[in-house]
């Protein structure tokens, strides 16, 4: 069985040719997989008992499990969100997430970034100081609170992604925070929340009318999709070890680019973040999951012409895809695919 450290090193070697800048900023080995002891209880397929009564067998063996980390996104000093994600390609994840949230529109709006893994009291201290300044009354209370926090969080992998955005983006964040605060009892907060969760994406629409082009995005052929799926199956190393992560993948200049994560939304955000940073256009994205409305919304914002899944889309996902000109296909299996929109 491949160890965690061996996997990380091999993954870095195979992905090295994909990197054209210094965007991958974590130089230390990042644990994506850990080994835990487990007991497998199962019935033997062959029973040797005279009464044909099956016996439960127990197999004790190590199990490779995917790491699920808490990733705190801090924008211009503002604690914005905490994502549960695979702790790899976190810069791409953060940029793609901010783009999907509508906080950035272009790669150059990101001025700087830094990723920190919290491992001990010293690494926690800079991020607890703000809370101390705002609410703690004494050093003893601060020390007690920090110790309690460390005990509470000791089972978690925690990463801080600090992003510096330009002034225009900072104003968007402040405006969104004011909207999220709402106005108590006015009856508008629910409508505001719905509008944010179910936004108007007309400005991102990909149909002929909205983009002024007579060229329609070509429907990906079954052969091309099956070939992409074969490459994804062969490249999805973390899933092969754990069976617990999703992937978002695309072909660019005849090269497969694949992004894995415990969350399918995170996997797509990583791909979109990579797309923004590398300033490339993609024709089709393949997801190893079902196609939910959130994935469709992210794809529309990212102006991705085709979104293909290995499982089914939801009805809402198809309706929104049709409205905004996104090609949608699902049930990509060994010999078939089903198109729902865009053909």
């Amino acid at each position: 069985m491949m160890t965690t450290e061996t996997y990380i090193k091999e993954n870095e070697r195979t992905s090295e040719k994909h990197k054209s800048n210094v965007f991958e900023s974590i130089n230390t080995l990042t644990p994506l997989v850990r080994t835990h002891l487990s007991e497998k209880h199962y019935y033997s397929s062959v029973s040797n008992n005279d009464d044909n009564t099956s016996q439960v067998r127990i197999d004790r063996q190590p199990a490779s499990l995917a790491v699920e980390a808490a990733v705190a996104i801090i924008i211009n000093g503002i604690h914005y969100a905490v994502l549960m994600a695979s702790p790899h390609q976190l810069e791409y994840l953060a940029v793609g997430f901010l783009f999907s949230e509508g906080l950035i529109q272009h790669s150059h709006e990101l001025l700087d970034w830094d990723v920190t893994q919290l491992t001990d009291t010293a690494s926690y201290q800079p991020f607890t100081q703000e809370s101390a300044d705002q609410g703690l009354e004494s050093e003893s209370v601060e020390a007690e609170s920090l110790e309690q926090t460390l005990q509470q969080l000791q089972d978690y992998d925690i990463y801080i992604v600090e992003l510096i955005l330009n002034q225009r983006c900072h104003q968007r964040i402040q405006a969104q925070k004011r909207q999220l605060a709402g106005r108590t009892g006015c009856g508008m907060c629910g409508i505001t929340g719905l509008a944010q969760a179910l936004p108007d994406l007309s400005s991102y629409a990909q149909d002929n009318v909205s983009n002024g082009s007579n060229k329609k995005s070509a429907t990906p052929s079954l052969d091309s999709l099956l070939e992409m799926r074969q490459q994804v199956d062969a490249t999805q190393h973390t899933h092969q070890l754990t069976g617990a992560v999703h992937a978002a993948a695309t072909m660019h200049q005849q090269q497969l680019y694949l992004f894995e994560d415990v969350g399918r939304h995170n996997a797509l955000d990583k791909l979109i973040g990579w797309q923004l940073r590398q300033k490339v256009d993609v024709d089709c994205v393949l997801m190893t999951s079902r196609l939910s409305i959130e994935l469709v919304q992210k794809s529309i914002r990212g102006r991705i012409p085709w979104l293909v899944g290995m499982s089914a889309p939801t009805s809402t996902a198809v309706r929104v895809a049709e409205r905004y000109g996104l090609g949608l296909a699902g049930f990509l299996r060994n010999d078939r695919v089903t198109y729902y929109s865009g053909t």
Side-chain angles (χ1 to χ4, degrees):
M1 181 178 296
M2 191 180 299
T3 65
T4 301
E5 290 76 16
T6 302
Y7 161 70
I8 299 299
K9 291 179 180 177
E10 179 173 324
N11 183 71
E12 289 178 349
R13 283 200 301 271
T14 56
S15 63
E16 186 66 30
K17 59 185 177 181
H18 299 169
K19 303 174 186 177
S20 61
N21 55 27
V22 294
F23 196 62
E24 299 288 343
S25 64
I26 301 180
N27 297 320
T28 58
L29 295 178
T30 302
L32 300 181
V33 179
R34 287 199 181 95
T35 301
H36 293 261
L37 295 178
S38 67
E39 285 188 359
K40 179 181 179 181
H41 292 229
Y42 62 99
Y43 289 107
S44 176
S45 58
V46 178
S47 175
N48 296 322
N49 296 338
D50 295 336
D51 58 0
N52 291 327
T53 301
S54 298
Q55 290 185 333
V56 175
R57 301 188 61 181
I58 299 176
D59 186 7
R60 295 177 177 87
Q61 59 185 359
S64 296
L65 304 180
V67 172
E68 185 177 16
V71 181
I73 308 294
I74 299 179
I75 309 172
N76 292 7
I78 300 172
H79 291 256
Y80 184 78
V82 176
L83 309 178
M84 300 305 298
S86 298
H88 183 51
Q89 300 166 317
L90 295 182
E91 299 90 344
Y92 288 148
L93 172 63
V95 172
F97 173 74
L98 295 186
F99 180 84
S100 298
E101 290 282 291
L103 296 180
I104 64 173
Q105 298 175 356
H106 305 283
S107 176
H108 62 77
E109 293 175 321
L110 173 63
L111 304 180
D112 196 8
W113 67 89
D114 188 36
V115 178
T116 303
Q117 182 179 8
L118 304 187
T119 56
D120 51 29
T121 302
S123 62
Y124 274 85
Q125 196 68 44
F127 302 101
T128 58
Q129 187 61 46
E130 179 181 346
S131 298
D133 292 342
Q134 293 177 355
L136 298 178
E137 298 178 355
S138 67
E139 293 184 1
S140 60
V141 174
E142 178 182 346
E144 181 180 350
S145 176
L146 178 59
E147 182 64 26
Q148 182 179 357
T149 299
L150 290 175
Q151 291 180 357
Q152 174 186 344
L153 300 178
Q154 63 183 349
D155 293 330
Y156 295 87
D157 293 86
I158 301 177
Y159 293 80
I160 306 294
V161 181
E162 297 177 276
L163 304 172
I164 303 299
L165 304 183
N166 64 19
Q167 184 61 30
R168 180 174 297 181
C169 294
H170 184 74
Q171 292 173 352
R172 292 194 198 114
I173 297 170
Q174 297 286 20
Q176 187 179 89
K177 287 190 66 177
R178 286 192 294 271
Q179 289 176 349
L180 291 176
R183 290 170 289 178
T184 304
C186 68
M188 291 298 294
C189 302
I191 295 298
T192 301
L194 284 172
Q196 290 175 340
L198 309 172
D200 178 12
L201 302 174
S202 300
S203 60
Y204 301 95
Q206 303 178 52
D207 57 22
N208 297 336
V209 175
S210 63
N211 61 28
S213 172
N214 294 323
K215 181 181 178 181
K216 184 177 180 180
S217 189
T219 301
S221 67
L222 175 59
D223 288 342
S224 66
L225 292 177
L226 292 178
E227 180 180 355
M228 188 188 300
R229 165 150 191 176
Q230 289 179 351
Q231 293 192 46
V232 168
D233 290 341
T235 311
Q236 205 181 353
H237 301 305
T238 309
H239 184 71
Q240 292 169 3
L241 284 171
T242 66
V245 298
H246 292 290
T250 190
M251 298 294 297
H252 178 64
Q253 296 181 349
Q254 300 182 332
Q255 173 68 51
L256 179 75
Y257 289 82
L258 181 139
F259 304 85
E260 287 186 296
D261 200 278
V262 290
R264 62 187 187 276
H265 309 117
N266 298 334
L268 183 55
D269 277 339
K270 288 178 179 179
L271 187 149
I272 292 174
W274 163 83
Q275 181 184 0
L276 287 173
R277 295 299 295 176
Q278 302 301 329
K279 299 179 181 179
V280 299
D281 294 325
V282 300
D283 296 324
C284 177
V285 169
L286 172 60
M287 301 291 305
T288 59
S289 65
R290 71 180 185 274
L291 302 180
S292 60
I293 179 59
E294 294 93 343
L295 298 182
V296 165
Q297 290 173 334
K298 291 176 185 292
S299 298
I300 293 171
R301 279 198 170 106
R303 292 186 169 87
I304 297 170
W306 275 91
L307 180 65
V308 181
M310 292 186 183
S311 297
T314 65
S315 171
T316 304
V318 174
R319 292 174 64 185
V320 173
E322 289 177 334
R323 173 182 291 273
Y324 296 110
L326 172 68
L328 204 63
F331 285 115
L332 178 61
R333 304 299 167 87
N334 295 330
D335 58 356
R336 61 187 170 95
V337 69
T338 302
Y339 298 97
Y340 296 92
S341 68
T343 56

